[in-house]
Amino acid sequence: MQVFKVYFKVLKGYLGQWALYIGIFSVILFMFIVPNSVKEQISFSNKKCNFAVFDYDNSEASRDIVAYMSKKHELKSIENDSMEVMQDELFNRNVDCIVKIKKDFGKNFEFNQSNLENYIEIITIPDTYTSQLFEQDYNRFVKYAKSYAASGINVSSAIEKAAKTADTELSTNIVEKENNTNYDATYYFFNYISWIIVIMCIITIGRVLVVFQQKNLRSRIACSAYSFARISKELLMGVLCSGFTIIFIFFVLAVIAFKTEILSIQGMLYMTNAISYMFVALALTYLVSQLIKNDGTMNMIGNTISLGMSFLCGVFVPMEFLSDTVIKIAHFLPAYWYQLALIHIQKHGTDNISKTFSYMGIQILFALALVTVGIIVSRKNQSK
């Protein structure tokens, strides 16, 4: 097992790269994904304004209007209606509006219903949304009340009917398109690791394989009792152990972030899909190591491949926002099928599980194709 041991001795020198990308992903996970994992019910509540009233009329109409506005907004009390006190209260935001109802408001409302604005004064801070909201509610209610009073009914009935009309609400439903999916935090976790896995494999495992491709080292090994098959076997064992170590690290992070949720059947499907893609990442790494002999360019190649597939296959930009041309190109990339499996698991869970495994199977076929090409390139390099 000498080659196997040497493999990990070389890999040890690149573990800092693993730590770097795991750290980057952990920041994304615990600062952005997990905090947004709690699904909140979309709700709406009316904004209430604080207002004070000075009713100098004290009629039935004025009392009913104050009572109605008190239901819609918060009635507060202030010391008096002197200009200095009102300015202080408004400036300190203790109240948003101050209403002054002048004498004879009730008589005018009952018999005339005209020029009511001359009997009510609303003092606010100009151009604030709270003042506009309060005035809008008041004007709507008074308009309905005036209309009912003009029809000849008494004040109390007009106020009551106006309140019912002003409080009329329409039920609304949020309609979503069939192809829209609310992705949860678990989906985003496994979505982003497809980017991380590829780059971690290429810039670490790929560099180790490049070391074993060096002419002097291969010549020394060829002179030893190690056969080519035994060397390949031990290197394969080392590569697989490295790949499963990466997967195990992300599994631990998933358990920490999502606890028992990741241990469900749906969570295991996510993990199985990640393992399938891990084989793709290892196959890519093997192919790149056969094509690239310069250790210094491995980082650039790893970033180019991982970021390129991520942008083209829906990792960073959701598929529904990608053009048809980009989607057609993405069909020839393994990350596309990884994303399809993720989306299917998110939408359907364990339902129609055969389709999920078919997407995983396509990823394995990509891995086998990449390894085959890598072996062909390796044979040509050895013949040279």
mmCIF file of all heavy atoms in Angstrom, residues 29-30 33-34 37 184-190 252-263:
data_model
loop_
_atom_site.group_PDB
_atom_site.id
_atom_site.type_symbol
_atom_site.label_atom_id
_atom_site.label_comp_id
_atom_site.label_asym_id
_atom_site.label_seq_id
_atom_site.Cartn_x
_atom_site.Cartn_y
_atom_site.Cartn_z
ATOM 1 N N LEU A 29 -23.561 29.116 4.315
ATOM 2 C CA LEU A 29 -24.573 28.259 4.932
ATOM 3 C C LEU A 29 -25.183 28.897 6.173
ATOM 4 O O LEU A 29 -26.408 29.031 6.287
ATOM 5 C CB LEU A 29 -23.960 26.900 5.272
ATOM 6 C CG LEU A 29 -24.832 25.932 6.074
ATOM 7 C CD1 LEU A 29 -26.069 25.552 5.275
ATOM 8 C CD2 LEU A 29 -24.034 24.676 6.441
ATOM 9 N N PHE A 30 -24.319 29.295 7.112
ATOM 10 C CA PHE A 30 -24.820 29.728 8.414
ATOM 11 C C PHE A 30 -25.171 31.217 8.477
ATOM 12 O O PHE A 30 -25.822 31.652 9.429
ATOM 13 C CB PHE A 30 -23.794 29.393 9.500
ATOM 14 C CG PHE A 30 -23.622 27.914 9.716
ATOM 15 C CD1 PHE A 30 -22.475 27.254 9.274
ATOM 16 C CD2 PHE A 30 -24.619 27.176 10.319
ATOM 17 C CE1 PHE A 30 -22.322 25.899 9.460
ATOM 18 C CE2 PHE A 30 -24.479 25.808 10.503
ATOM 19 C CZ PHE A 30 -23.335 25.167 10.073
ATOM 20 N N ILE A 33 -28.086 30.878 4.232
ATOM 21 C CA ILE A 33 -29.047 29.809 3.962
ATOM 22 C C ILE A 33 -29.873 29.477 5.194
ATOM 23 O O ILE A 33 -31.109 29.508 5.165
ATOM 24 C CB ILE A 33 -28.326 28.552 3.428
ATOM 25 C CG1 ILE A 33 -27.618 28.858 2.105
ATOM 26 C CG2 ILE A 33 -29.319 27.415 3.250
ATOM 27 C CD1 ILE A 33 -26.843 27.686 1.534
ATOM 28 N N VAL A 34 -29.210 29.156 6.317
ATOM 29 C CA VAL A 34 -29.923 28.749 7.527
ATOM 30 C C VAL A 34 -30.806 29.858 8.091
ATOM 31 O O VAL A 34 -31.959 29.609 8.451
ATOM 32 C CB VAL A 34 -28.928 28.238 8.596
ATOM 33 C CG1 VAL A 34 -29.633 27.972 9.918
ATOM 34 C CG2 VAL A 34 -28.234 26.968 8.110
ATOM 35 N N SER A 37 -34.111 29.897 6.464
ATOM 36 C CA SER A 37 -34.746 28.588 6.296
ATOM 37 C C SER A 37 -36.118 28.515 6.935
ATOM 38 O O SER A 37 -36.894 27.621 6.634
ATOM 39 C CB SER A 37 -33.864 27.484 6.897
ATOM 40 O OG SER A 37 -33.705 27.678 8.297
ATOM 41 N N ASP A 184 -36.633 25.249 -0.430
ATOM 42 C CA ASP A 184 -36.279 25.404 0.970
ATOM 43 C C ASP A 184 -34.763 25.455 1.132
ATOM 44 O O ASP A 184 -34.001 25.347 0.165
ATOM 45 C CB ASP A 184 -36.887 24.276 1.821
ATOM 46 C CG ASP A 184 -36.433 22.892 1.373
ATOM 47 O OD1 ASP A 184 -35.392 22.788 0.691
ATOM 48 O OD2 ASP A 184 -37.113 21.906 1.712
ATOM 49 N N ALA A 185 -34.321 25.610 2.389
ATOM 50 C CA ALA A 185 -32.889 25.780 2.658
ATOM 51 C C ALA A 185 -32.096 24.528 2.315
ATOM 52 O O ALA A 185 -30.938 24.613 1.906
ATOM 53 C CB ALA A 185 -32.685 26.150 4.126
ATOM 54 N N THR A 186 -32.698 23.345 2.493
ATOM 55 C CA THR A 186 -31.997 22.097 2.163
ATOM 56 C C THR A 186 -31.647 22.044 0.689
ATOM 57 O O THR A 186 -30.557 21.606 0.308
ATOM 58 C CB THR A 186 -32.865 20.882 2.538
ATOM 59 O OG1 THR A 186 -33.379 21.052 3.851
ATOM 60 C CG2 THR A 186 -32.054 19.602 2.464
ATOM 61 N N TYR A 187 -32.577 22.499 -0.139
ATOM 62 C CA TYR A 187 -32.308 22.535 -1.583
ATOM 63 C C TYR A 187 -31.106 23.426 -1.875
ATOM 64 O O TYR A 187 -30.207 23.044 -2.642
ATOM 65 C CB TYR A 187 -33.538 23.036 -2.337
ATOM 66 C CG TYR A 187 -33.236 23.420 -3.762
ATOM 67 C CD1 TYR A 187 -33.231 22.476 -4.778
ATOM 68 C CD2 TYR A 187 -32.924 24.747 -4.097
ATOM 69 C CE1 TYR A 187 -32.931 22.828 -6.083
ATOM 70 C CE2 TYR A 187 -32.627 25.102 -5.405
ATOM 71 C CZ TYR A 187 -32.632 24.140 -6.390
ATOM 72 O OH TYR A 187 -32.324 24.492 -7.673
ATOM 73 N N TYR A 188 -31.087 24.621 -1.299
ATOM 74 C CA TYR A 188 -29.992 25.546 -1.577
ATOM 75 C C TYR A 188 -28.662 25.005 -1.056
ATOM 76 O O TYR A 188 -27.614 25.274 -1.660
ATOM 77 C CB TYR A 188 -30.299 26.913 -0.970
ATOM 78 C CG TYR A 188 -31.342 27.675 -1.738
ATOM 79 C CD1 TYR A 188 -32.606 27.892 -1.204
ATOM 80 C CD2 TYR A 188 -31.082 28.163 -3.013
ATOM 81 C CE1 TYR A 188 -33.574 28.582 -1.920
ATOM 82 C CE2 TYR A 188 -32.036 28.843 -3.738
ATOM 83 C CZ TYR A 188 -33.278 29.050 -3.179
ATOM 84 O OH TYR A 188 -34.232 29.719 -3.900
ATOM 85 N N PHE A 189 -28.697 24.273 0.045
ATOM 86 C CA PHE A 189 -27.475 23.648 0.557
ATOM 87 C C PHE A 189 -26.874 22.720 -0.498
ATOM 88 O O PHE A 189 -25.697 22.837 -0.859
ATOM 89 C CB PHE A 189 -27.786 22.873 1.840
ATOM 90 C CG PHE A 189 -26.624 22.089 2.391
ATOM 91 C CD1 PHE A 189 -25.747 22.674 3.282
ATOM 92 C CD2 PHE A 189 -26.401 20.772 2.010
ATOM 93 C CE1 PHE A 189 -24.667 21.959 3.800
ATOM 94 C CE2 PHE A 189 -25.329 20.051 2.516
ATOM 95 C CZ PHE A 189 -24.465 20.653 3.404
ATOM 96 N N PHE A 190 -27.689 21.798 -1.002
ATOM 97 C CA PHE A 190 -27.177 20.838 -1.981
ATOM 98 C C PHE A 190 -26.986 21.477 -3.353
ATOM 99 O O PHE A 190 -26.215 20.965 -4.171
ATOM 100 C CB PHE A 190 -28.122 19.636 -2.066
ATOM 101 C CG PHE A 190 -28.018 18.718 -0.888
ATOM 102 C CD1 PHE A 190 -28.908 18.819 0.164
ATOM 103 C CD2 PHE A 190 -27.003 17.782 -0.817
ATOM 104 C CE1 PHE A 190 -28.803 17.994 1.268
ATOM 105 C CE2 PHE A 190 -26.893 16.939 0.277
ATOM 106 C CZ PHE A 190 -27.795 17.051 1.331
ATOM 107 N N VAL A 252 -21.889 16.147 7.508
ATOM 108 C CA VAL A 252 -21.817 16.642 8.888
ATOM 109 C C VAL A 252 -22.343 18.080 8.955
ATOM 110 O O VAL A 252 -23.109 18.436 9.868
ATOM 111 C CB VAL A 252 -20.372 16.557 9.423
ATOM 112 C CG1 VAL A 252 -20.253 17.256 10.780
ATOM 113 C CG2 VAL A 252 -19.937 15.103 9.540
ATOM 114 N N LEU A 253 -21.948 18.920 7.991
ATOM 115 C CA LEU A 253 -22.453 20.290 7.960
ATOM 116 C C LEU A 253 -23.973 20.316 7.803
ATOM 117 O O LEU A 253 -24.663 21.138 8.433
ATOM 118 C CB LEU A 253 -21.811 21.064 6.811
ATOM 119 C CG LEU A 253 -20.362 21.520 6.990
ATOM 120 C CD1 LEU A 253 -19.844 22.163 5.706
ATOM 121 C CD2 LEU A 253 -20.243 22.504 8.146
ATOM 122 N N ALA A 254 -24.506 19.407 6.979
ATOM 123 C CA ALA A 254 -25.955 19.355 6.776
ATOM 124 C C ALA A 254 -26.674 18.945 8.058
ATOM 125 O O ALA A 254 -27.728 19.485 8.390
ATOM 126 C CB ALA A 254 -26.289 18.377 5.646
ATOM 127 N N VAL A 255 -26.100 17.981 8.777
ATOM 128 C CA VAL A 255 -26.713 17.549 10.041
ATOM 129 C C VAL A 255 -26.689 18.682 11.061
ATOM 130 O O VAL A 255 -27.662 18.925 11.787
ATOM 131 C CB VAL A 255 -25.985 16.304 10.596
ATOM 132 C CG1 VAL A 255 -26.476 15.978 12.006
ATOM 133 C CG2 VAL A 255 -26.198 15.105 9.677
ATOM 134 N N ILE A 256 -25.573 19.417 11.119
ATOM 135 C CA ILE A 256 -25.477 20.556 12.045
ATOM 136 C C ILE A 256 -26.498 21.625 11.689
ATOM 137 O O ILE A 256 -27.156 22.205 12.565
ATOM 138 C CB ILE A 256 -24.054 21.150 12.032
ATOM 139 C CG1 ILE A 256 -23.049 20.136 12.589
ATOM 140 C CG2 ILE A 256 -23.998 22.440 12.845
ATOM 141 C CD1 ILE A 256 -21.609 20.569 12.441
ATOM 142 N N ALA A 257 -26.656 21.881 10.386
ATOM 143 C CA ALA A 257 -27.541 22.969 9.944
ATOM 144 C C ALA A 257 -29.013 22.583 9.997
ATOM 145 O O ALA A 257 -29.854 23.393 10.405
ATOM 146 C CB ALA A 257 -27.168 23.390 8.528
ATOM 147 N N PHE A 258 -29.331 21.344 9.613
ATOM 148 C CA PHE A 258 -30.737 20.961 9.469
ATOM 149 C C PHE A 258 -31.161 19.847 10.409
ATOM 150 O O PHE A 258 -32.315 19.415 10.358
ATOM 151 C CB PHE A 258 -31.008 20.548 8.018
ATOM 152 C CG PHE A 258 -30.574 21.573 7.014
ATOM 153 C CD1 PHE A 258 -29.493 21.327 6.172
ATOM 154 C CD2 PHE A 258 -31.212 22.796 6.928
ATOM 155 C CE1 PHE A 258 -29.087 22.269 5.251
ATOM 156 C CE2 PHE A 258 -30.805 23.744 6.006
ATOM 157 C CZ PHE A 258 -29.739 23.488 5.169
ATOM 158 N N LYS A 259 -30.223 19.319 11.198
ATOM 159 C CA LYS A 259 -30.505 18.306 12.223
ATOM 160 C C LYS A 259 -31.183 17.082 11.609
ATOM 161 O O LYS A 259 -30.686 16.525 10.641
ATOM 162 C CB LYS A 259 -31.316 18.921 13.357
ATOM 163 C CG LYS A 259 -30.577 20.067 14.046
ATOM 164 C CD LYS A 259 -31.394 20.677 15.131
ATOM 165 C CE LYS A 259 -30.597 21.744 15.888
ATOM 166 N NZ LYS A 259 -30.145 22.853 15.036
ATOM 167 N N THR A 260 -32.322 16.668 12.169
ATOM 168 C CA THR A 260 -32.944 15.408 11.735
ATOM 169 C C THR A 260 -33.550 15.480 10.344
ATOM 170 O O THR A 260 -33.848 14.448 9.744
ATOM 171 C CB THR A 260 -34.031 14.991 12.738
ATOM 172 O OG1 THR A 260 -34.991 16.061 12.857
ATOM 173 C CG2 THR A 260 -33.425 14.715 14.111
ATOM 174 N N GLU A 261 -33.750 16.690 9.833
ATOM 175 C CA GLU A 261 -34.347 16.839 8.503
ATOM 176 C C GLU A 261 -33.510 16.157 7.433
ATOM 177 O O GLU A 261 -34.046 15.582 6.482
ATOM 178 C CB GLU A 261 -34.514 18.323 8.184
ATOM 179 C CG GLU A 261 -35.207 18.601 6.868
ATOM 180 C CD GLU A 261 -35.366 20.087 6.605
ATOM 181 O OE1 GLU A 261 -35.128 20.879 7.540
ATOM 182 O OE2 GLU A 261 -35.729 20.446 5.476
ATOM 183 N N ILE A 262 -32.207 16.188 7.593
ATOM 184 C CA ILE A 262 -31.323 15.595 6.596
ATOM 185 C C ILE A 262 -31.332 14.075 6.691
ATOM 186 O O ILE A 262 -30.899 13.378 5.765
ATOM 187 C CB ILE A 262 -29.881 16.143 6.755
ATOM 188 C CG1 ILE A 262 -29.080 15.955 5.457
ATOM 189 C CG2 ILE A 262 -29.171 15.487 7.918
ATOM 190 C CD1 ILE A 262 -29.597 16.728 4.302
ATOM 191 N N LEU A 263 -31.806 13.535 7.831
ATOM 192 C CA LEU A 263 -31.840 12.084 8.019
ATOM 193 C C LEU A 263 -33.143 11.468 7.527
ATOM 194 O O LEU A 263 -33.347 10.264 7.659
ATOM 195 C CB LEU A 263 -31.638 11.746 9.505
ATOM 196 C CG LEU A 263 -30.325 12.258 10.129
ATOM 197 C CD1 LEU A 263 -30.279 11.937 11.607
ATOM 198 C CD2 LEU A 263 -29.116 11.667 9.408
#
